[in-house]
Amino acid sequence: MHVVVTGALVENGAVLLAHRRPTKRVYPDVWDLPGGQVEAGESELQALAREMHEELGVHIVAESASRLGVLHAGSGEDAVHVGVWQIGDWVGSPTNRAPDEHDDIAWVGISELGGLPLVHGVLAAMVRSLPEFECARRHSDITDCNQDDRGTKADCRACAGTDSSSR
């Protein structure tokens, strides 16, 4: 069984996705959360930090990461266990530092997720469940985007308009 981690970086109502090269042997020509295999002796969180730095050039704030869910695909030797993590904070601006694996990276809004070919279709539902997107879904119903309909302050990047340059 292969153990893999992926990370959801969310900012301003969008999640960062990586497009896998059409020449990849496994899951070619689809969009996915950035990540990779957990190496021997690594925890999922250690692998997530390493992969985010290798693929995107960002340093995650480990205390801000939380497991969003787990996916299982394949069987036998091809079985894959995918730990999906939400990354609340990171340092640096994401860039494609793994062009041999990904031919593009893009910030994708919640409304665009359903129209993209994704590695695992359930990823869209997992990402939509993030608190950042819960707030973004309600934007049209909110007068002040930092408050919900009961006047409760929202504490999410989608509403707060977090500026990545402040990291």
Side-chain angles (χ1 to χ4, degrees), residues 90-113:
W90 63 92
V91 177
S93 296
T95 57
N96 185 5
R97 293 186 56 184
D100 53 322
E101 294 182 36
H102 308 113
D103 57 7
D104 196 10
I105 62 170
W107 291 100
V108 178
I110 188 170
S111 62
E112 302 170 88
L113 287 173

Side-chain angles (χ1 to χ4, degrees), residues 57-71:
V58 298
H59 294 279
I60 67 168
V61 177
E63 298 79 24
S64 77
S66 60
R67 184 182 280 201
L68 186 56
V70 177
L71 301 171

